[in-house]
């Protein structure tokens, strides 16, 4: 298949995503570029965004499966970091096996079964168990969304490109399905990297990424906390504040059969002064709502 104007524009994640598409999907994109309806650069940006979204969706599903399969770890105060890493290794192995089943499935029922298992939307009741009174709050850190990671966070330019592709009638759901396996493998590699597990796959950073154009801006240091000492002080104060608050939790009553607790904020511990939020105008509220709809529209139906 001749790529003509599209071939020279594909690079990085865009090229990887293009390689995962079917021949018919590739031809459709090449024809759109040749017709002048869209540029090769825009197609590259759109494919880059869809692959990043596939990784994010796979990581979210992996976290749900991890939590469901290993809920007991969160209730055991002897759980160690090695236990959490071992559980992640088991979850990644299970997902890899399910993805192989999905790829090899011969019937629609087999595909639906493997797909539902991968989505992991059935919640383990243990996750709702009251953990009040535990001296440790056990939570693995490798699932945290890092908005400074260009492998996961898209830019506005890439998001706009996706909407441009959609406006031309390109089936984004079909593209997402084609990218599902790559997204799973990339997500597993990123999680393994974070947890210090062995992995033979390396997911490269997006060389075209600009934090100034990021769809979701990374958190910034509070005012007056630019130095490492200030950050450490802020972290220590915040940790002390949370610990003290937890220690002063008391039962406040019941609601719909569930115990309601009230946290009394200690007067002697206050977080560093932060700028007071400015009143939200109607225009600001509309802009925020539009931005959320924009981001939601880019989500993958996993």
């Amino acid at each position: 298949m001749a790529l003509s104007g599209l071939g020279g524009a594909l690079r990085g994640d865009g090229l990887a995503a293009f390689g995962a598409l079917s021949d018919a999907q590739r031809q459709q994109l090449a024809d759109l570029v040749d017709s002048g309806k869209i540029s090769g650069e825009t197609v590259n940006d759109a494919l880059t965004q869809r692959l990043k979204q596939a990784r994010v969706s796979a990581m979210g599903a992996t976290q749900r499966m991890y939590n469901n399969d290993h809920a007991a770890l969160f209730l055991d105060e002897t759980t160690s970091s090695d236990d959490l890493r071992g559980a992640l290794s088991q979850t990644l192995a299970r997902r890899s096996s399910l993805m192989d089943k999905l790829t090899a499935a011969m019937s629609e029922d087999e595909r639906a079964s493997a797909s539902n298992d991968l989505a992991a939307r059935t919640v383990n009741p243990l996750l709702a168990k009251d953990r009040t009174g535990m001296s440790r709050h056990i939570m693995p850190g490798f699932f945290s969304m890092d908005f400074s990671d260009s492998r996961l966070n898209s830019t506005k330019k890439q998001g706009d490109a996706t909407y441009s592709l959609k406006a031309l009638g390109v089936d984004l759901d079909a593209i997402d399905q084609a990218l599902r396996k790559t997204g799973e493998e990339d997500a597993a590699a990123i999680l393994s990297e974070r947890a210090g597990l062995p992995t033979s796959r390396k997911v490269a950073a997006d060389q075209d990424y600009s934090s100034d154009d990021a769809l979701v801006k990374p958190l910034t240091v509070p005012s007056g906390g630019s130095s490492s000492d200030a950050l450490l002080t802020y972290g220590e104060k915040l940790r002390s504040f949370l610990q003290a608050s937890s220690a002063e939790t008391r039962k406040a009553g019941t609601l719909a059969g569930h115990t309601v607790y009230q946290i009394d904020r200690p007067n002697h511990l206050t977080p560093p002064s932060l700028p007071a939020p400015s009143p939200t105008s109607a225009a600001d509220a509309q802009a925020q709502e539009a931005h959320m709809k924009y981001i939601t529209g880019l989500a993958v139906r996993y």
Side-chain angles (χ1 to χ4, degrees):
M1 180 185 68
L3 296 181
S4 58
L6 178 57
L10 293 172
R11 60 192 180 277
D13 286 341
L15 181 59
F18 188 80
L21 303 181
S22 68
D23 288 342
Q25 289 172 319
R26 296 178 199 172
Q27 190 63 61
Q28 180 189 25
L29 296 177
D31 289 345
L32 285 172
V33 173
D34 288 344
S35 70
K37 294 179 179 178
I38 196 169
S39 70
E41 179 71 14
T42 301
V43 170
N44 180 75
D45 284 341
L47 291 177
T48 296
Q49 195 280 324
R50 295 326 286 166
L51 180 51
K52 290 182 181 184
Q53 201 65 45
R55 293 168 185 158
V56 170
S57 295
M59 287 181 71
T62 301
Q63 182 175 15
R64 291 194 297 271
M65 180 178 286
Y66 178 96
N67 290 346
N68 287 330
D69 289 355
H70 306 287
L73 290 178
F74 305 133
L75 302 172
D76 184 353
E77 295 192 32
T78 66
T79 295
S80 67
S81 56
D82 286 340
D83 293 330
L84 296 175
R85 279 193 293 269
L88 177 62
S89 182
Q90 293 173 26
T91 298
L92 294 180
R94 182 186 175 201
R95 293 191 70 79
S96 178
S97 176
L98 284 170
M99 183 53 66
D100 289 342
K101 289 181 180 179
L102 179 64
T103 303
M106 300 299 292
S107 70
E108 189 60 36
D109 287 344
E110 289 176 337
R111 281 191 290 272
S113 177
S115 182
N116 288 336
D117 286 345
L118 281 164
R121 296 197 180 279
T122 301
V123 179
N124 187 332
L126 277 179
L127 295 173
K129 189 171 181 179
D130 189 357
R131 287 188 270 176
T132 302
M134 290 182 64
S135 62
R136 296 175 61 213
H137 185 73
I138 299 166
M139 180 182 296
F142 30 75
F143 290 112
S144 300
M145 181 60 183
D146 181 1
F147 293 112
S148 65
D149 192 337
S150 66
R151 300 172 298 180
L152 302 172
N153 197 8
S154 301
T155 63
K156 181 68 163 53
K157 179 172 177 278
Q158 292 164 351
D160 288 346
T162 296
Y163 279 110
S164 295
L165 212 58
K166 183 178 182 179
L168 290 173
V170 175
D171 187 348
L172 293 183
D173 288 344
I175 286 180
D176 293 339
Q177 285 300 314
L179 297 180
R180 189 171 184 178
K181 182 175 177 61
T182 304
E184 279 283 342
E185 292 173 345
D186 285 355
I190 292 172
L191 288 170
S192 295
E193 172 190 305
R194 290 180 174 184
L197 296 174
T199 177
S200 59
R201 191 179 186 90
K202 176 68 175 177
V203 183
D206 179 3
Q207 298 302 315
D208 296 328
Y209 180 81
S210 168
S211 58
D212 292 336
D213 191 38
L215 267 183
V216 181
K217 302 294 185 183
L219 293 176
T220 56
V221 177
S223 176
S226 58
S227 71
S228 58
D229 288 342
L231 274 175
L232 180 60
T233 300
Y234 176 75
E236 290 293 339
K237 285 186 177 180
L238 182 58
R239 182 159 47 251
S240 297
F241 173 74
L242 293 174
Q243 289 173 344
S245 295
S246 298
E248 297 186 33
T249 299
R250 59 186 173 84
K251 184 175 179 180
T254 58
L255 178 64
H258 297 281
T259 302
V260 177
Y261 292 89
Q262 176 176 320
I263 296 178
D264 294 328
R265 172 171 166 166
N267 294 325
H268 65 286
L269 283 172
T270 57
S273 298
L274 299 177
S278 56
T280 302
S281 66
D284 289 339
Q286 290 177 353
Q288 291 174 8
E289 182 179 358
H291 183 63
M292 288 307 301
K293 286 183 177 179
Y294 179 97
I295 292 177
T296 302
L298 295 172
V300 170
R301 297 178 181 86
Y302 199 95

